[in-house]
Amino acid sequence: MDKKLFIETLGCAMNVRDSEHMIAELTDKEGYSLTKDAKEADLILINTCSVREKPVHKLFSEIGAFNKIKKDDAKIGVCGCTASHLGEEILKKAPSVSFVLGARNVSKITKAIKEEKFVDVDIDYDESEYAFGEFRSSLYKVYINISIGCDKSCTYCIVPHTRGDEISIPPSIILAEVKKAVQRGAKEIFLLGQNVNNYGKRFSDKSIKSIDFSDLLEQVSEIDGVERIRFTSPHPLHMDDKFLKVFATNPKICKSMHMPLQSGSSRVLARMKRGYTKEWFLDRAMKLRDMVPDVHISTDIIVAFPGESEEDFLDTLDVVKKVRFEQMFSFKYSPRPLTKASEFKDQIPNEIGSARLKELQELHTTILDEISANQNQRVFEVLFEELKSGGMIAGRSDNGFLVQAKGSESLLGKFAKVKITNPKRMVLYGEIIE
Ligand code: 5AD
Ligand code: SF4
């Protein structure tokens, strides 16, 4: 019998990849096929994120909504980071849920679906060498995990508690996956990990020869058929000169770098345990801009971290003015269970957080408008990935700008040169010239 799987994926690229892993296991080994309609599903999976409080609250109302529409005998499974940190509690609060599978335990999905009630949220579990089935959401852009877990202990962050310690996936497995992906038509390889540039720090197989992220990038780029390489997330602390040089000089590496700043104040950075200062961050960002004039730098910023003074916040604005990030994801600090910062006594009132977030976003909007306007009449090589309404097709430039032009399905997965004629804040519109 053909069984249907409905899966909802929240959170980051790691979660997208984890969902792909689970889909692969269920379709290859258990005879499921995907559906976009939860009403006809035999299995409903919610792959959750817990990095901020809001989506966690939403989980239970979502389960309630699925209960109303699902088939009587359909199972519901909760996976991912919220599953990791709430564990059993989910089964208690939501009896319609059959299993809870943590972000580090996705390889257990085929076991979980067969049990009456099942919980596995063990973060010591090592699945770094697990051979998953094959499933890719996109044929052209392929996500490949290079590590699992996170060894940092940023005081605001729940991730080390949901994904466990960092283990690197052996290079032989990564390179074999890359080869397989390009044979099936992949153009862009997207390497994933919580701290990609800390790659190689720990393998479960101790006999693996020493290798760092820069070496891995070079090895991936040597594979025939790989046209573009992207990665996320690098950590500013590990942006040493060797890494910047490989990034700047290897032509297959896309010139877009995520540099999660979090705060521009060295005092706050120390309390966040980020391991770098404002000066180090600025030095790395400016060096990057010098080495790669066309580089696109994106960032994540948290405002109103406990104890953040007006002066600290001004430091954040100062870094934003100096680096002029091409993209910024900004958040109001959200206290998370199990984290050190949630116990700090100097939490910032919500109104101050909202006001700071607004001020930061307004500053960045002004910068972004200037950056976008400067792209007018420029020509970018775009890899087209997605059809849009109105006969438009969308893709990204090498350096990460979202570009749209008139074009048909035949361009999907292909490169074309686009001249920008109508740059907007979030999307650069243009015309295909060749
Ligand atoms: N509160 C607000 N934002 C957070 N992030 C991580 N933890 C928190 C938190 N407790 C943000 C960081 C991170 C991004 C994925 O989410 O900026 O880089
Ligand atoms: Fe990804 Fe972090 Fe959310 Fe987990 S908590 S899904 S690692 S963003």
Side-chain angles (χ1 to χ4, degrees), residues 350-390:
N350 194 33
E351 316 78 73
I352 296 184
S354 302
R356 286 185 185 162
L357 189 62
K358 185 161 174 270
E359 189 176 345
L360 172 67
Q361 290 176 341
E362 280 169 3
L363 166 67
H364 190 250
T365 301
T366 315
I367 294 172
L368 206 53
D369 283 342
E370 288 163 10
I371 292 173
S372 306
N374 287 341
Q375 311 309 316
N376 202 14
Q377 302 303 311
R378 290 192 62 195
V379 173
F380 291 105
E381 174 123 306
V382 175
L383 173 60
F384 286 110
E385 290 168 39
E386 198 188 341
L387 283 175
K388 293 281 174 189
S389 57

Side-chain angles (χ1 to χ4, degrees), residues 51-52 156-157 260 262 300-302 331-336:
V51 80
R52 279 170 293 278
Y156 53 81
C157 189
Q262 310 304 0
D300 291 343
I301 294 177
I302 298 174
F331 314 100
K332 192 167 30 169
Y333 170 72
S334 165
R336 308 305 298 122

Side-chain angles (χ1 to χ4, degrees), residues 10 19 21 33 126 149 156 173-174 186 194 203-204 226 228 251 267 271 292 295-296 301 313 337 340 366 372 390 430:
L10 307 163
S19 284
H21 282 321
S33 63
D126 178 5
Y156 53 81
I173 294 183
I174 297 169
Q194 294 304 332
F203 291 105
S204 33
V226 172
R228 281 182 166 184
R267 198 183 70 86
R271 291 190 90 206
V292 189
V295 71
H296 183 294
I301 294 177
F313 176 60
K340 284 228 169 68
T366 315
S372 306

